[in-house]
Amino acid sequence: MLDIQNLSKVYETKTGTVTGVDNVSLTIAEGEVFGIVGYSGAGKSSLLRCINLLERPTSGSIVVNDRDITKLSTEELRKARLKIGMIFQHFHLISQKTVGDNIAFALKAARVPKGKRQERVKELLSMVGLSDKIDVYPSQLSGGQKQRVGIARALANNPSILLCDEATSALDPNTTLSILHLLKKINRELNITIVLITHEMDVVKEICDRMAVMQDGRVIEEGSVYDIFSNPKTALAQEFISSVVSFHVPDAILKEVKGSLVKVLFKGKVAGQGIISDTIAKYHVRGNFLHGTIEYIQDQPLGLFLMELNGEQANVEKAIAYMEERGAHVEVIDNVL
Ligand SMILES: Nc1ncnc2c1ncn2[C@@H]1O[C@H](COP(=O)(O)OP(=O)(O)OP(=O)(O)O)[C@@H](O)[C@H]1O
Ligand SMILES: [Mg+2]
C-alpha cells in the first residue's frame, strides 16, 4: 500500500517560493492502477518525484509497505527506492549503451552480482517483447520500443510500485495502446501497483482503476474511474471527461429542437436493457437522438445519450419518470441554446 498524507512540496527559487504540491493526501491500494490527471503545472510530476524521493517533500509522509520513507537514512532510502520503479515520457535511456547494458546498469546500481545480471536482462527483455534487441543501441529503436526498454529497466529490481510520468505522451495512439496493455499485463501478472500521471483521459479510461484530478498542487477530486466518468463533480473533471465523451451538437441542429431535450445516462448493466425503446413504446413518445455513445470503462458499459422527446407533455414527463425508475439518470435541459 502507498499512503500519502499531507504532502507538500515548496520550491525555493530566486524570485520567491513556488508551491508544487499543496497538502495532498492519497491512499493507493496494493495492485491498483491509479491515474493522476491535471493540466501542465498542476503538480503531477512534483508529486511523483516526491513519491520516490527524487525530490524531498517539504512536509508530509509517504508510507510504502508500512514504512514512512521520508524518515529513512540514506542507505535505507537507497534500498527502498529500488522497490519503486519509474518510467518517463522521454525514456531517459543511455544512448552509448546497448539495450541489454541499459538494463544491466540498473541491476549493477542495485548491486546484483555481475554473473547474475545477464540472465535477468534476458528475462526482462522477454517480458517486454524485445528479446531480439538486446545488442541494439537506443537510437535504432522506435519510441514504443524505447519505452519497452524503459519498462524493463524499471522492473529490473522487482519493484512493488511503478511510477509512470507521461509515459505514453510521446507515442502515437496505437503504440500508446500497446504500452498500456503491457503496463496492465505487468500490473496483473506481477501484482505491481502502478501510479501514472497523464493529461490524456483516454489513458486513464484504458487502464486505471481509480483516479485523482490535480489543480494548483492540490487533489480536487478523487474516486473510481467509472464514478468520475459517470458523475464528474468539479468543472475540471467535467472538462477532462468531455475530451473523451463529447456532447457537442451544432447550434443549427439544436435550434430545430421542438420537444424536450434530455440527457440520459445509463450505468453498468442498465445500459443494455433497451430502456429507451421500452419507454418509447409504453408512453407513445417519439425519441430523436442527437448524440450518443456507450463507453466501456473497466469492461463496464456507461451509456450517454442526448435526445429530443416529442409527444404530449404528460407522456413525456411519465416517460422520463419511467426511465429513472428503470435506473437511468435523466437530466432535462431547459436552455437548449
Ligand atoms: N525544480 C523546480 N523549481 C521550481 N519550481 C518548480 C520545480 N519543479 C516544478 N516547479 C513548479 O511546480 C509547479 C508544478 O510543476 P510540475 O512539473 O509538478 O507540474 P506537472 O503537472 O507535472 O506539469 P506538466 O504536465 O507540464 O509536466 C509548477 O508551477 C512548476 O513551475
Ligand atoms: Mg510533469
Side-chain angles (χ1 to χ4, degrees):
M1 191 181 76
L2 172 60
D3 189 26
I4 301 163
Q5 289 300 328
N6 307 107
L7 191 79
S8 289
K9 172 70 193 177
V10 179
Y11 297 102
E12 306 288 343
T13 70
K14 279 181 193 149
T15 50
T17 59
V18 179
T19 304
V21 181
D22 189 2
N23 200 24
V24 164
S25 297
L26 283 175
T27 302
I28 298 170
E30 194 185 314
E32 196 162 50
V33 182
F34 194 91
I36 300 172
V37 299
Y39 286 128
S40 188
K44 306 179 300 293
S45 296
S46 299
L47 175 63
L48 218 60
R49 288 198 304 263
C50 281
I51 295 177
N52 71 354
L53 296 194
L54 271 176
E55 202 94 75
R56 274 270 166 196
T58 310
S59 57
S61 64
I62 302 163
V63 176
V64 180
N65 302 329
D66 301 324
R67 288 172 77 187
D68 185 351
I69 59 170
T70 63
K71 300 209 161 55
L72 298 181
S73 67
T74 313
E75 178 55 20
E76 285 172 325
L77 179 60
R78 193 190 67 80
K79 283 194 189 139
R81 246 202 213 129
L82 294 174
K83 296 293 163 198
I84 307 177
M86 186 150 176
I87 57 173
F88 307 87
Q89 178 174 2
H90 297 297
F91 326 120
H92 295 190
L93 302 178
I94 307 166
S95 56
Q96 301 89 339
K97 287 188 189 290
T98 62
V99 163
D101 288 345
N102 262 280
I103 301 168
F105 191 66
L107 294 165
K108 186 182 172 195
R111 298 174 192 167
V112 173
K114 204 168 184 177
K116 291 194 171 161
R117 289 180 208 157
Q118 209 51 14
E119 194 186 331
R120 179 75 181 137
V121 167
K122 284 185 182 155
E123 207 175 279
L124 288 156
L125 282 175
S126 150
M127 196 183 304
V128 299
L130 282 185
S131 296
D132 56 334
K133 301 289 184 195
I134 190 163
D135 294 322
V136 156
Y137 286 88
S139 61
Q140 296 164 279
L141 298 176
S142 70
Q145 289 169 334
K146 284 181 197 163
Q147 195 56 290
R148 284 172 188 270
V149 179
I151 292 170
R153 182 185 55 187
L155 297 179
N157 298 305
N158 299 306
S160 56
I161 299 173
L162 178 63
L163 307 176
C164 312
D165 190 345
E166 299 279 4
T168 56
S169 297
L171 307 173
D172 66 52
N174 277 338
T175 312
T176 292
L177 215 52
S178 77
I179 293 293
L180 294 178
H181 289 161
L182 175 61
L183 290 175
K184 191 76 199 171
K185 178 180 123 169
I186 287 163
N187 163 254
R188 288 210 181 116
E189 290 178 7
L190 307 176
N191 194 34
I192 294 179
T193 306
I194 296 182
V195 183
L196 66 85
I197 65 179
T198 179
H199 57 269
E200 294 171 293
M201 282 306 276
D202 276 327
V203 167
V204 172
K205 194 190 108 188
E206 194 61 39
I207 66 163
C208 295
D209 304 306
R210 284 196 309 131
M211 65 176 286
V213 181
M214 278 188 86
Q215 186 174 38
D216 297 331
R218 286 188 293 270
V219 167
I220 59 163
E221 192 162 347
E222 186 197 343
S224 82
V225 172
Y226 194 89
D227 286 348
I228 293 190
F229 264 75
S230 55
N231 187 20
K233 296 200 166 58
T234 59
L236 184 60
Q238 283 164 14
E239 206 173 300
F240 272 108
I241 303 301
S242 69
S243 68
V244 177
V245 190
S246 154
F247 260 72
H248 178 72
V249 177
D251 286 356
I253 303 283
L254 288 176
K255 266 189 198 141
E256 286 172 19
V257 171
K258 305 258 173 349
S260 301
L261 188 67
V262 292
K263 209 178 208 179
V264 189
L265 183 143
F266 298 107
K267 282 193 193 179
K269 277 199 193 126
V270 174
Q273 285 174 2
I275 296 174
I276 292 182
S277 47
D278 288 356
T279 305
I280 287 170
K282 201 169 156 89
Y283 294 100
H284 310 291
V285 290
R286 272 171 289 118
N288 176 26
F289 286 101
L290 301 178
H291 221 306
T293 179
I294 297 181
E295 293 290 330
Y296 290 88
I297 300 163
Q298 271 99 56
D299 299 331
Q300 283 273 88
L302 174 69
L304 283 158
F305 300 93
L306 188 66
M307 61 192 292
E308 178 187 0
L309 289 178
N310 285 299
E312 280 180 31
Q313 186 58 26
N315 283 348
V316 169
E317 280 167 21
K318 278 184 203 158
I320 291 171
Y322 176 72
M323 283 196 275
E324 290 202 308
E325 207 177 284
R326 291 273 304 264
H329 176 82
V330 187
E331 185 191 335
V332 181
I333 300 172
D334 293 323
N335 299 316
V336 173
L337 272 181

